[in-house]
Amino acid sequence: MKKFLLTVIVVLSLSACSSTHRDVLGTSQTQVQMRNYQSRSFDTNDRTLVLRAVVSTMQDLGFIIDRADERLGTISGTSYTHASKMTVSVRVINKNQIVVRANAQVGLKPLEEPIAYQNFFNALGQSLFLEAHEVE
Amino acid sequence: MKKIFVLCLLAVFMASGCVSYKHYYKLDDQYLARRQLETRAYETQDEEALLVASAQVLQDLGFTLDESEIKLGLITANKDREAGSTGQKIGMIFLSALSGTQAVYDVSQKIYVTLVSTKNHNNGYNVRIEFARMIWNNMNQVRIEKIQDEEIYKDFFDKLSQSVFLTANNI
């Protein structure tokens, strides 16, 4: 009986470890898959313009901006329409292109619906008057 | 009975697996009207002074500033306040005493604000503000909502116009 209890405790503690590992570092897709649908490139070299367009798009979509860092190129906000949180980063990849990447969570889950990100980039493209390209 | 239970359970699992996020982050038909309500143009070329005046008016209204990023023209702030009037609470308690249920009423709220300035086409600056809030009730449940009351936005911009004038005159 004692052995059984010990085994149960060991199994439970092991499963707790693996669950914590999954919660902290786990994703259901590969990094490449996620970056693919969470990123778009825009043909411009004006980083500030893109950052400001991200803020404006997030506002159009009903986000309240929580924080922004021009130097790091990140903007985070909470959507009061869709009860979700999003961080958007903007980085220059070459002289003529800027990559925008967004990741969001809804409630206690990551948002893994590519169409939702597509909607976001469409709105951003509209605000920038630029076409969003998929990132290779 | 057991069969029905299993079927219900299956239906619940299936429904929970079918939550769709495809409509998320799509611009709706109202976004331009909302943008207009939330935005006002100011005839100034000094963005920094406009943001200083904005911070002043937020302080006038009792907000504490969370974040500011001058290079993006952004200020975010929040304030905690009581939610619901005493009259409403008494009314709810009275009603639930009559119906024999537990009274549910709002207790507190956190009001969030995002303020952004952007250069406009008339050589001035636009200020866009958004208000939202989280409301807790006495059962510790929380709900969130965007504040869309036209009067609130109009009053805010009137106060900001006044603040621009006062700040420009060092008052």
Side-chain angles (χ1 to χ4, degrees), chain B residues 29-40:
Chain B
D29 300 338
Q30 298 297 312
Y31 88 94
L32 283 175
R34 267 200 319 272
R35 191 192 283 181
Q36 204 171 6
L37 170 74
E38 295 166 358
T39 309
R40 188 167 295 184

Side-chain angles (χ1 to χ4, degrees), chain B residues 5 8 17-19 23 25-26 72-73 76 84 87 101-102 111 113 118 128 132 135 137 157 166:
Chain B
F5 176 72
C8 285
C18 289
V19 179
H23 62 290
Y25 312 139
K26 219 178 224 178
L72 296 176
T76 68
T101 54
Q102 193 169 359
I111 304 168
V113 57
T118 39
R128 181 173 184 179
I135 307 156
N137 66 20
F157 286 122
L166 291 174

Side-chain angles (χ1 to χ4, degrees), chain B residues 28-146:
Chain B
D28 59 22
D29 300 338
Q30 298 297 312
Y31 88 94
L32 283 175
R34 267 200 319 272
R35 191 192 283 181
Q36 204 171 6
L37 170 74
E38 295 166 358
T39 309
R40 188 167 295 184
Y42 290 87
E43 287 173 15
T44 175
Q45 276 112 54
D46 191 344
E47 186 180 25
E48 206 171 312
L50 187 58
L51 284 168
V52 170
S54 303
Q56 292 291 316
V57 76
L58 287 172
Q59 281 188 290
D60 291 343
L61 299 170
F63 283 93
T64 49
L65 266 59
D66 285 327
E67 186 88 355
S68 54
E69 182 61 276
I70 289 271
K71 284 181 183 166
L72 296 176
L74 172 80
I75 297 173
T76 68
N78 76 73
K79 64 178 173 183
D80 298 299
R81 290 291 181 268
E82 260 186 58
S85 65
T86 316
Q88 272 176 330
K89 284 172 196 166
I90 294 171
M92 286 309 291
I93 293 168
F94 183 68
L95 272 176
S96 33
L98 281 179
S99 60
T101 54
Q102 193 169 359
V104 180
Y105 49 86
D106 294 337
V107 177
S108 61
Q109 58 180 325
K110 200 176 193 77
I111 304 168
Y112 294 91
V113 57
T114 301
L115 185 144
V116 182
S117 66
T118 39
K119 206 169 178 36
N120 64 27
H121 300 300
N122 301 321
N123 215 16
Y125 278 90
N126 285 345
V127 170
R128 181 173 184 179
I129 188 142
E130 285 182 293
F131 294 98
R133 59 180 180 165
M134 290 174 94
I135 307 156
W136 286 265
N137 66 20
N138 60 327
M139 312 289 280
N140 217 14
Q141 292 161 327
V142 65
R143 68 176 196 277
I144 58 173
E145 63 182 31
K146 184 118 189 270

Side-chain angles (χ1 to χ4, degrees), chain A residues 51-52 55 59-61 63-70 80 82 84 86 104 106 111 116 119 126, chain B residues 21-22 24-27 31 34-35 47 67 69 71-74 76 112 114 116-117 128 130 132 144:
Chain A
L51 276 167
R52 283 184 180 251
V55 172
Q59 286 189 299
D60 283 342
L61 293 169
F63 278 88
I64 286 285
I65 309 295
D66 296 323
R67 52 194 71 242
D69 188 325
E70 197 269 343
Y80 282 71
H82 291 125
S84 58
M86 184 187 266
V106 184
L111 181 61
N119 293 338
Q126 215 167 306
Chain B
Y21 300 112
K22 288 183 181 164
Y24 270 46
Y25 312 139
K26 219 178 224 178
L27 286 173
Y31 88 94
R34 267 200 319 272
R35 191 192 283 181
E47 186 180 25
E67 186 88 355
E69 182 61 276
K71 284 181 183 166
L72 296 176
L74 172 80
T76 68
Y112 294 91
T114 301
V116 182
S117 66
R128 181 173 184 179
E130 285 182 293
I144 58 173

Side-chain angles (χ1 to χ4, degrees), chain A:
Chain A
M1 185 64 187
K2 260 189 183 173
K3 264 188 183 173
F4 173 72
L5 273 177
L6 258 173
T7 317
V8 170
I9 289 170
V10 168
V11 168
L12 278 181
S13 56
L14 277 177
S15 67
C17 281
S18 75
S19 152
T20 311
H21 187 274
R22 193 178 59 233
D23 291 342
V24 178
L25 297 178
T27 52
S28 63
Q29 291 144 323
T30 66
Q31 276 174 288
V32 175
Q33 272 176 322
M34 276 195 309
R35 285 190 186 207
N36 188 270
Y37 66 74
Q38 291 182 347
S39 309
R40 288 290 184 278
S41 71
F42 293 90
D43 297 335
T44 173
N45 58 7
D46 193 339
R47 187 171 168 273
T48 309
L49 175 86
V50 176
L51 276 167
R52 283 184 180 251
V54 169
V55 172
S56 160
T57 304
M58 287 174 83
Q59 286 189 299
D60 283 342
L61 293 169
F63 278 88
I64 286 285
I65 309 295
D66 296 323
R67 52 194 71 242
D69 188 325
E70 197 269 343
R71 215 166 150 195
L72 195 60
T74 56
I75 294 148
S76 298
T78 306
S79 166
Y80 282 71
T81 333
H82 291 125
S84 58
K85 277 169 169 271
M86 184 187 266
T87 290
V88 181
S89 64
V90 172
R91 64 195 168 94
V92 179
I93 53 161
N94 60 40
K95 272 184 194 167
N96 308 313
Q97 277 188 314
I98 285 177
V99 168
V100 179
R101 193 225 173 134
N103 75 297
Q105 68 172 60
V106 184
L108 301 175
K109 284 185 175 174
L111 181 61
E112 292 175 339
E113 172 56 68
I115 294 176
Y117 292 98
Q118 175 73 50
N119 293 338
F120 174 76
F121 290 119
N122 285 348
L124 179 62
Q126 215 167 306
S127 168
L128 276 167
F129 295 110
L130 287 172
E131 201 184 330
H133 304 293
E134 292 212 3
V135 178
E136 297 291 314

